Amino acid sequence: MRDSRETFVNHAFVTGYPIKHSRSPLIHGYWLKQLGIEGSYRAHEVKPEDFSTFIAELKHGTSGFCGGNVTIPHKEVARRLADRPDDLCLELGAANTLWIEAGEVHATNTDGRGFVANLDERADGWDQCSTAVVLGAGGASRAVIQAVRDRGVKTINVVNRTVARAKELSDRFGSTVHAHPIEALGEVMRGAGLFINATSLGMDGQEAPQIDFTVLASGAVVTDIVYVPLKTPLLRQAEQQGFAIVDGLGMLLHQAVPGFELWFGRRPFVDANLRQLVIDDMGSHA
């Protein structure tokens, strides 16, 4: 009988298509080494047409993996194929973390937990605000909206160029979430305590619009899910206008914590060394 999960070797994965640029192996590899755990975590590219076979092999134990992470374009299919999706990923309609338990594939989504853990670490007290603004209504917005709602923020205004997509999110997440067209951005920002960019604006040097953040509440926090570059154009604007900013890198780091604990039996910590390791890697690929 095994005394500890550390006495045997587990292997975990991150899968997507493509997947070669994922930084998850760097993150989990750091923790495996730091905690002295025998095991592995590697990128495993799977084409969409092969994904159901991959999940079947995971379930039957023939893949060699105990679980792993799922990213684009497999998140929604992973939720559908899982035997035991939890309430979080059922509401989101997407899973990013899988594990095997009693011969069944369990699924959850840790993106929202990563988002709020990042804010907790870098902007303590952010959740005391009553109103948040989310720019963007794409797939990344779902976990953000769910997590902010579940922390008790009473009003979440989702602003999007296509208002119908924002309306889909308000229908999904309930009466605290409200849909608005992009033209209403300045109006709904007035007095808000949290501004979240959940679009790809500013990613990899792309241009971003000028935004007047001064209409936000005094002491408001501005955050971005984009982390390349670390300080996006929108974050630079907000900082220049006197607001506290939180970059998106911590979301990537913190969302990885629950999965690692599930697969390897120890809860890791996001520390300054790990953050710098990923920043250095970002710089080497710039």
Side-chain angles (χ1 to χ4, degrees), residues 199-213:
T199 75
S200 60
L201 286 172
M203 181 184 289
D204 290 328
Q206 295 179 24
E207 292 186 5
Q210 293 294 313
I211 293 179
D212 179 14
F213 291 101

Side-chain angles (χ1 to χ4, degrees), residues 45-275:
E45 189 167 270
V46 178
K47 295 178 180 179
E49 60 266 30
D50 298 329
F51 188 69
S52 61
T53 299
F54 176 75
I55 293 298
E57 291 173 348
L58 176 66
K59 179 176 179 176
H60 295 125
T62 55
S63 69
F65 294 117
C66 65
N69 287 125
V70 179
T71 189
I72 296 170
H74 301 319
K75 287 185 174 184
E76 293 183 1
V77 181
R79 191 272 301 169
R80 291 199 301 269
L81 294 178
D83 301 301
R84 300 269 181 189
D86 70 3
D87 290 342
L88 277 175
C89 64
L90 283 174
E91 185 180 36
L92 286 174
N96 79 335
T97 302
L98 306 176
W99 70 101
I100 298 297
E101 199 172 304
E104 294 183 309
V105 178
H106 290 244
T108 189
N109 194 301
T110 66
D111 286 333
R113 281 175 276 180
F115 178 78
V116 296
N118 185 36
L119 286 174
D120 288 340
E121 179 185 20
R122 307 187 79 82
D124 186 42
W126 68 269
D127 54 350
Q128 298 306 303
C129 74
S130 60
T131 304
V133 174
V134 178
L135 179 60
S141 305
R142 293 183 183 186
V144 166
I145 292 167
Q146 184 187 57
V148 171
R149 179 204 64 188
D150 289 353
R151 282 293 287 265
V153 176
K154 293 181 174 59
T155 302
I156 303 169
N157 291 313
V158 183
V159 179
N160 196 59
R161 292 192 184 280
T162 306
V163 73
R165 295 192 69 180
K167 183 67 166 59
E168 288 173 9
L169 297 182
S170 66
D171 291 343
R172 179 183 290 266
F173 294 108
S175 60
T176 60
V177 182
H178 308 276
H180 304 274
I182 194 70
E183 293 78 15
L185 180 62
E187 178 185 346
V188 299
M189 285 176 63
R190 195 168 300 279
L194 178 65
F195 180 97
I196 304 156
N197 176 39
T199 75
S200 60
L201 286 172
M203 181 184 289
D204 290 328
Q206 295 179 24
E207 292 186 5
Q210 293 294 313
I211 293 179
D212 179 14
F213 291 101
T214 62
V215 298
L216 293 174
S218 175
V221 175
V222 177
T223 187
D224 204 320
I225 64 166
V226 173
Y227 62 89
V228 180
L230 199 60
K231 191 177 288 187
T232 64
L234 291 182
L235 291 183
R236 288 186 184 280
Q237 290 178 40
E239 186 175 53
Q240 289 165 2
Q241 293 175 44
F243 290 92
I245 61 172
V246 178
D247 63 63
L249 178 55
M251 179 179 177
L252 172 70
L253 303 177
H254 285 285
Q255 64 81 28
V257 170
F260 187 96
E261 185 176 19
L262 283 165
W263 309 315
F264 301 113
R266 294 276 299 279
R267 187 168 184 83
F269 294 95
V270 173
D271 59 25
N273 289 334
L274 174 59
R275 181 177 166 86

